[in-house]
Amino acid sequence: QVPLVESGGGSVQAGGSLRLSCEVSQYVGDTYCYAWFRQAVGKGREGVAAVDRWGSTIYADSVKGRFTVSRDKAKNILDLQMNSLEAEDTAMYYCAVAIWPGATCPIKSLFAYNNWGQGTQVTVSS
């Protein structure tokens, strides 16, 4: 399958918003999890949010109430709407897809995700 490609990153002031997108048309028809991870300089890669093929979502505690993950089934696009951005949100953001038969998409581990994008940089200034 073709690699994932993220878009929508950029620089924004604290309190602002960005919307990241990832085209996932090559990943349909199976028990997929669609997720966003991020990695800040000097830190490990951490899960941000994920949505399964049925629309159930899971979020990291640090972004609950501020970020919304969704998949547009008609357009085959995975989105991450990021509001009330903080300096701590500065990181490279990655789209990832996994075949996952379980009930809840994993975001505390990278193990299940075998398809990754190259990342899009999000920089939040205060």
Side-chain angles (χ1 to χ4, degrees), residues 2 6 12 27 34-35 40 42 60 65 76 78 94-95 98 102 108-110 113 115 125:
V2 298
E6 305 92 340
V12 66
Y27 303 91
Y34 308 89
N76 301 121
L78 175 70
Y94 300 89
C95 174
K108 295 184 178 181
S109 174
L110 309 175
Y113 294 90
N115 300 290
S125 60

Side-chain angles (χ1 to χ4, degrees), residues 54-70:
W54 301 281
S56 296
T57 58
I58 183 171
Y59 296 91
D61 289 342
S62 59
V63 306
K64 286 181 179 178
R66 299 189 298 119
F67 291 9
T68 302
V69 63
S70 62

